């Protein structure tokens, strides 16, 4: 079993930045493929970014390319999401997720952290 705990959300003005963190426990972090998702009010949860076990490979949703950066520190069992130039449409609950095998459904999810961007 893997536990994921997100942090770093909050209220920020448009144009600002936030860095989300997700700490994993319960399994060797370096064996986990990690992802970030978000769910805005009234919308379905959507993919944001993913990163491979070593961090050498990343992928982003088109809507956040060039704006967000996913990274990981395997020594700290942590994955990050750096979000820059935030806009009100980035407002959502952001979820961290983990899976052992790529191209399979994510097995583990965090509880989410709220990001609110004011105009």
């Amino acid at each position: 079993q893997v536990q994921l705990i997100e942090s770093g959300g909050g209220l920020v003005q448009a144009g600002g930045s936030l860095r989300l963190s997700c700490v994993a426990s319960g399994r060797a972090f370096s064996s986990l493929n990690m992802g970030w998702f978000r769910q805005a009010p009234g919308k379905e949860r959507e993919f944001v970014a993913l990163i491979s076990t070593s961090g050498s490979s990343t992928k982003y949703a088109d809507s956040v390319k060039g704006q967000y950066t996913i990274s990981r520190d395997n020594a700290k069992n942590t994955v990050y999401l750096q979000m820059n130039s935030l806009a009100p449409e980035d407002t959502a609950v952001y979820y961290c997720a983990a899976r052992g095998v790529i191209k399979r459904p994510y097995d583990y999810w965090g509880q989410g952290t709220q990001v609110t961007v004011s105009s």
Side-chain angles (χ1 to χ4, degrees):
Q1 191 75 6
V2 175
Q3 294 78 43
L4 302 172
I5 300 178
E6 303 100 331
S7 62
L11 175 64
V12 63
Q13 288 188 334
S17 299
L18 282 175
R19 188 177 79 157
L20 306 183
S21 300
C22 172
V23 179
S25 61
R27 176 172 166 177
F29 183 68
S30 59
S31 70
L32 295 171
N33 291 278
M34 303 299 295
W36 285 98
F37 292 75
R38 66 184 180 185
Q39 186 168 20
K43 295 186 177 181
E44 294 187 353
R45 187 165 56 190
E46 64 175 357
F47 166 76
V48 173
L50 63 80
I51 189 166
S52 61
T53 54
S54 67
S56 61
S57 179
T58 59
K59 182 179 180 179
Y60 297 90
D62 288 343
S63 58
V64 305
K65 280 182 182 176
Q67 181 189 1
Y68 290 9
T69 303
I70 188 171
S71 62
R72 66 189 294 159
D73 185 338
N74 285 351
K76 295 183 178 180
N77 293 350
T78 303
V79 61
Y80 304 98
L81 186 68
Q82 177 68 43
M83 307 184 295
N84 298 325
S85 302
L86 287 165
E89 51 264 37
D90 294 309
T91 294
V93 177
Y94 284 72
Y95 297 91
C96 172
R99 59 186 177 183
V101 181
I102 60 173
K103 299 184 179 180
R104 294 291 300 273
Y106 282 85
D107 302 297
Y108 308 102
W109 294 84
Q111 81 288 351
T113 186
Q114 176 72 47
V115 171
T116 303
V117 184
S118 63
S119 57

